[in-house]
Amino acid sequence: QAQLAESGGGLVQAGGSLRLSCAASGIIFRNNALGWYRQAPGNQRELVAKISALGNTRYGDSVKGRFTIFRDNAENMVYLQMESLKPEDTAVYYCNAGENPYSPGRIWGQGTLVTVSS
């Protein structure tokens, strides 16, 4: 059974940093594109960052230059390093996996809440 489990969310002050982690199981990790999406109250879920099976990355416009996605295929982990956090980054962050690097995959984690205080 494919599963993704996020961790690392919490409360941080504006300008601070946070690293999210996502542990994958039940999938051929190295074959999958991995992504982070987020959803704030009243908003649609949006792409934050994605990394393909080959390691190519792309980011949502609002996080470019501040967030970095990286993966560890040996440990079946994907990470999101977040720097210079802003209150508008407050959201539930979801890990995602699938074969297509250009659209959300079918596997989602349960989400982890990030709250950035001003």
Side-chain angles (χ1 to χ4, degrees), residues 6-82:
E6 304 95 336
S7 60
L11 175 64
V12 63
Q13 287 188 331
S17 302
L18 209 57
R19 177 178 290 188
L20 304 183
S21 301
C22 174
S25 60
I27 62 173
I28 304 175
F29 187 82
R30 65 181 182 276
N31 291 351
N32 277 260
L34 287 305
W36 289 94
Y37 292 77
R38 68 186 182 187
Q39 187 167 19
N43 290 359
Q44 291 187 332
R45 193 171 295 189
E46 64 174 357
L47 172 70
V48 176
K50 197 146 188 178
I51 184 165
S52 73
L54 297 179
N56 298 313
T57 59
R58 61 190 183 98
Y59 297 90
D61 288 341
S62 62
V63 307
K64 284 179 182 176
R66 300 189 297 123
F67 291 10
T68 304
I69 186 171
F70 56 102
R71 61 192 294 164
D72 183 340
N73 287 346
E75 298 294 330
N76 285 7
M77 296 288 294
V78 60
Y79 303 93
L80 184 69
Q81 180 67 40
M82 304 185 291

